Amino acid sequence: VAANYYARKVAPKKSATHRYIASKLLRFAGVDLKEPSMPALLLSEARRRFRLGRAKKRSLPAVHALRDSLAPVLARYPDLRERLDPSSWNDGSAIAQHERMADFVGELVSAMNAFMASGAASALRDKDTARILDHLISYALVNLAQLPYFFSLSHQNKERPMIDRIEHHAARPGFGGGPLERPLRVLWYTDTLGDVNGVSRFIRNMADQALIQNCDVTIVTSTGFAVPDQPNIINFKPDFATKMPKYEQLEIVLPPLMRMLRHADQHRPDLIHVSTPGPVGLVGLRAARNLRVPLIGTYHTDFPAYVDHLFNDHACTRMCESAMKWFYGRCRLVLSRSPEFIEPIRRLGIPDDRIATLRSGIDLNDFGERFRDESIWTNLSSEKSSTRKPLLSASSSEGADGRRLAHHSIKCLYVGRVSVEKNLPLLARAWSGVHAAAQRQSINADLIVVGDGPYLKEMKALLAGKRAHFLGFRHGRELATIYASSDLFVFPSVTDTLGQSVMEAQASGLPAVVSNQGGPKTIAAHDHTGLVVETQRDHDWATALLSLIANSDQRARFSAAAVEGMKHRDIGASFRHFRELCERERAAHLADQGITPKTEQLDRAFASV
């Protein structure tokens, strides 16, 4: 209808160049708009290029993107290209091939977004307001082409509750045909999976457990980073991806919205879970609304606290709080990683009956005292080449002052993002005090920092000459060996909702020194598996660290208790708890539609009689 209206009412008033382009595009809808003559087209093009007596009008990036992308994408759909010939329209135009056209439009939009990406990034770097506006308009116009498919996905699922009720009443109990007896099927959306952080490690572990425990949980993401190659992880190539300013280890992406929504529609999940309130998380939210299925969200990161630490601007913090309130307010259930963060979730306006604490856990096969190998430090310290390949390159082990790790010293370890919101300025100041006191007492102690981030350069400068060593990112067996071969762990963050690295350290037998604010204090028990420092004063942190560094008996006692305590925090139990919560919410959602076990229906019928 729109194509016919455009051909009759709008196109005749446009330039010859415009009518020529429109005639090509309208053929997809089976509308044959007469092409302008060659002289008219040449004259129109000359006017467009030279604008006699006037300034040349700038074309939108979308126009250039369409010219560059249409032919290559169409070449991959020869069946649709054949239907652009009017003689084939008796069998239906290209637009009548719904699934193929949806694939084609999705691929074309992705190609055009990718074409415009470099220009958009350049405009942002140059702070060119006009070009930024042009790209925003172009992105909006390009994605409007998907509006009919977006509408159809939402519209065709509006009767899903009714279908579920019909299936329930028609199914014979015990034969698995009704919605209550179907195996649970979950789509899990996350913005973080390929990058290096505790949340991504947790989600990868949960994906592994889904395979081990034979549960249909599929992780969905969109990232340019590498992700595990396994059947229940799907990575949609982003339409646009760029590194986050000041956080080169993170990225900003524009996920392929319609391709991801169509995947959700075909997968037919019973429940959708979102881990992050980013672009991919928003796709998950939209998919849940389209499919009329319950939405569960996990509060992994206290973003308002992060924003407050990074920008120290109350207006920005309030805006972030409002966005989080809007996002998590649409969840049927919000999961907290630790009891400490139930109160921040409450402050978002989420009532207690919609909050649950997810049981914490890590894969205990990946970390433990069995990985201890003190030769790792010898390899790091050795100036000579070794026939044995060192786990860590010697060049990466130099401290902020260029010193190498001592052969025999107390190793104080930090693992995590090297950034201000992790409270590392406090650690840098505290370690300066520890270093000075250790020198006076002739104690050999080194600070080892594993990770990267925007505070790295400044932290190196502050700790130059103070036996601090920066190893960058480490993974897998190498990271497990670093944990197990260290002597104690320090984690000063006050914004972490749990503290994945604290659990990894405790499982490796490390006493942990943590703050009394945030989730880590629920992992490290004060004076049992570590020390919980109750203030943010540099001196108190230095005193706590120095007391553990100087007392080997206390470290040994805390180490044994830490390993024993972590035996109850296995990722398998965490996944089983997650599955139970999902089952419960699915049952509650179906009960809201009048779908309950048939024995309950019979009981109510007899009671009414």
Side-chain angles (χ1 to χ4, degrees):
V1 172
N4 276 284
Y5 177 84
Y6 190 89
R8 291 198 314 268
K9 301 292 185 179
V10 180
K13 301 175 184 178
K14 298 295 184 177
S15 68
T17 302
H18 186 104
R19 292 200 306 277
Y20 177 78
I21 296 172
S23 69
K24 300 296 185 185
L25 296 178
L26 289 173
R27 288 188 178 184
F28 282 97
V31 177
D32 191 10
L33 178 65
K34 185 179 179 181
E35 294 182 9
S37 65
M38 186 57 68
L41 186 60
L42 291 173
L43 180 59
S44 175
E45 186 66 11
R47 286 175 177 171
R48 188 188 71 81
R49 288 183 177 277
F50 300 109
R51 296 289 178 185
L52 298 177
R54 292 186 298 171
K56 180 181 177 182
K57 185 178 179 181
R58 185 172 65 245
S59 297
L60 286 173
V63 175
H64 300 290
L66 181 62
R67 288 173 178 169
D68 183 83
S69 307
L70 181 58
V73 174
L74 187 58
R76 293 193 284 274
Y77 292 83
D79 53 328
L80 294 181
R81 187 170 54 185
E82 290 174 4
R83 289 182 178 271
L84 299 183
D85 182 357
S87 64
S88 69
W89 290 348
N90 287 334
D91 297 325
S93 61
I95 206 170
Q97 313 304 308
H98 303 297
E99 289 298 320
R100 290 291 286 167
M101 274 299 294
D103 291 337
F104 168 74
V105 172
E107 191 171 336
L108 179 62
V109 167
S110 294
M112 292 177 68
N113 284 336
F115 180 88
M116 295 187 291
S118 59
S122 174
L124 287 170
R125 284 194 302 269
D126 298 340
K127 298 180 181 179
D128 188 332
T129 305
R131 288 174 59 210
I132 292 173
L133 183 60
D134 283 349
H135 278 87
L136 288 175
I137 294 171
S138 292
Y139 277 118
L141 290 173
V142 167
N143 286 281
L144 275 175
Q146 298 185 102
L147 191 59
Y149 300 101
F150 183 85
F151 172 78
S152 68
L153 284 178
S154 178
H155 180 75
Q156 70 190 22
N157 282 287
K158 69 178 183 179
E159 302 298 347
R160 179 169 180 171
M162 182 185 71
I163 300 295
D164 285 340
R165 288 194 296 272
I166 292 172
E167 289 182 347
H168 173 65
H169 289 294
R172 293 176 61 189
F175 283 80
L180 283 171
E181 297 182 356
R182 289 194 297 251
L184 179 70
R185 180 176 291 180
V186 178
L187 284 181
W188 182 325
Y189 289 81
T190 176
D191 289 89
T192 178
L193 190 67
D195 35 353
V196 182
N197 58 52
V199 177
S200 66
R201 291 201 298 277
F202 167 75
I203 296 172
R204 290 181 185 208
N205 287 342
M206 293 292 269
D208 293 338
Q209 286 300 312
L211 295 177
I212 293 170
Q213 300 188 30
N214 195 30
C215 183
D216 191 348
V217 175
T218 301
I219 311 298
V220 181
T221 190
S222 180
T223 176
F225 296 138
V227 301
D229 182 14
Q230 58 192 64
N232 64 339
I233 292 180
I234 299 177
N235 181 21
F236 288 88
K237 183 180 178 182
D239 288 349
F240 169 79
T242 186
K243 292 181 179 178
M244 188 177 292
K246 297 184 179 181
Y247 281 83
E248 298 296 310
Q249 306 79 24
L250 304 177
E251 62 178 353
I252 301 172
V253 305
L254 177 66
L257 174 64
M258 283 309 304
R259 286 167 53 209
M260 295 177 76
L261 290 180
R262 291 181 66 223
H263 166 265
D265 183 70
Q266 293 162 5
H267 195 79
R268 306 295 291 176
D270 299 296
L271 180 142
I272 285 178
H273 175 263
V274 290
S275 276
T276 47
V280 175
L282 290 171
V283 174
L285 188 152
R286 183 66 249 178
R289 290 178 66 87
N290 277 1
L291 299 175
R292 277 73 172 177
V293 297
L295 178 72
I296 290 180
T298 298
Y299 195 81
H300 278 291
T301 305
D302 189 7
F303 282 111
Y306 273 34
V307 170
D308 197 45
H309 276 76
L310 288 172
F311 301 104
N312 195 26
D313 187 318
H314 294 305
C316 289
T317 303
R318 285 195 297 271
M319 286 176 61
C320 183
E321 286 175 346
S322 297
M324 296 284 279
K325 182 176 181 179
W326 176 86
F327 183 86
Y328 285 104
R330 277 143 184 79
C331 296
R332 187 182 182 102
L333 181 69
V334 179
L335 304 181
S336 173
R337 293 303 315 279
S338 70
E340 289 300 309
F341 273 82
I342 289 179
E343 185 55 37
I345 297 174
R346 286 181 182 140
R347 288 200 295 268
L348 297 178
I350 310 298
D352 284 355
D353 61 352
R354 288 170 51 199
I355 303 174
T357 301
L358 181 63
R359 183 169 179 172
S360 60
I362 62 170
D363 192 337
L364 296 177
N365 294 317
D366 292 342
F367 300 94
E369 293 178 296
R370 63 190 177 280
F371 292 105
R372 187 172 183 88
D373 181 4
E374 294 188 22
S375 67
I376 188 176
W377 310 124
T378 302
N379 289 330
L380 282 166
S381 303
S382 176
E383 293 286 353
K384 300 177 182 179
S385 60
S386 173
T387 56
R388 177 186 174 189
K389 183 180 178 181
L391 286 172
L392 301 173
S393 61
S395 62
S396 66
S397 66
E398 292 183 357
D401 57 348
R403 293 171 57 100
R404 297 190 182 279
L405 277 164
H407 287 260
H408 302 287
S409 69
I410 305 301
K411 310 297 188 305
C412 182
L413 177 67
Y414 167 84
V415 176
R417 189 162 54 250
V418 184
S419 54
V420 172
E421 74 272 10
K422 295 293 186 180
N423 210 15
L424 291 190
L426 179 143
L427 177 58
R429 296 191 301 269
W431 185 257
S432 296
V434 170
H435 174 70
Q439 280 192 319
R440 290 193 298 270
Q441 299 176 37
S442 300
I443 296 175
N444 236 349
D446 291 288
L447 174 65
I448 300 167
V449 177
V450 174
D452 201 351
Y455 187 63
L456 180 62
K457 184 177 180 180
E458 185 176 348
M459 191 174 184
K460 280 185 174 182
L462 288 171
L463 295 179
K466 298 174 183 176
R467 297 186 65 161
H469 308 262
F470 299 85
L471 306 184
F473 285 126
R474 301 290 160 173
H475 312 272
R477 173 67 180 271
E478 187 179 47
L479 178 60
T481 304
I482 293 173
Y483 271 124
S485 306
S486 299
D487 298 288
L488 64 106
F489 189 74
V490 58
F491 198 75
S493 173
V494 297
T495 58
D496 273 58
T497 58
L498 181 62
Q500 182 87 1
S501 58
V502 179
M503 288 194 292
E504 294 166 355
Q506 296 261 277
S508 303
L510 299 189
V513 182
V514 303
S515 170
N516 70 325
Q517 299 178 43
K521 74 173 185 179
T522 65
I523 307 298
H526 182 65
D527 207 27
H528 181 62
T529 68
L531 298 176
V532 178
V533 184
E534 296 187 358
T535 76
Q536 290 298 300
R537 293 197 295 265
D538 308 349
H539 173 74
D540 293 334
W541 277 84
T543 300
L545 288 171
L546 196 61
S547 68
L548 273 179
I549 290 171
N551 192 333
S552 60
D553 291 339
Q554 188 180 43
R555 290 200 310 273
R557 178 166 57 87
F558 286 174
S559 174
V563 172
E564 185 63 30
M566 282 303 299
K567 289 179 180 178
H568 306 290
R569 295 184 185 269
D570 181 64
I571 191 66
S574 183
F575 183 83
R576 285 190 292 273
H577 186 215
F578 171 77
R579 185 175 182 173
E580 289 168 7
L581 292 171
C582 290
E583 293 277 15
R584 188 189 77 185
E585 291 308 311
R586 177 176 71 160
H589 171 71
L590 292 174
D592 290 344
Q593 302 172 35
I595 300 174
T596 57
K598 292 192 175 182
T599 53
E600 294 181 15
Q601 295 173 355
L602 290 173
D603 289 344
R604 287 200 300 269
F606 282 122
S608 65
V609 172

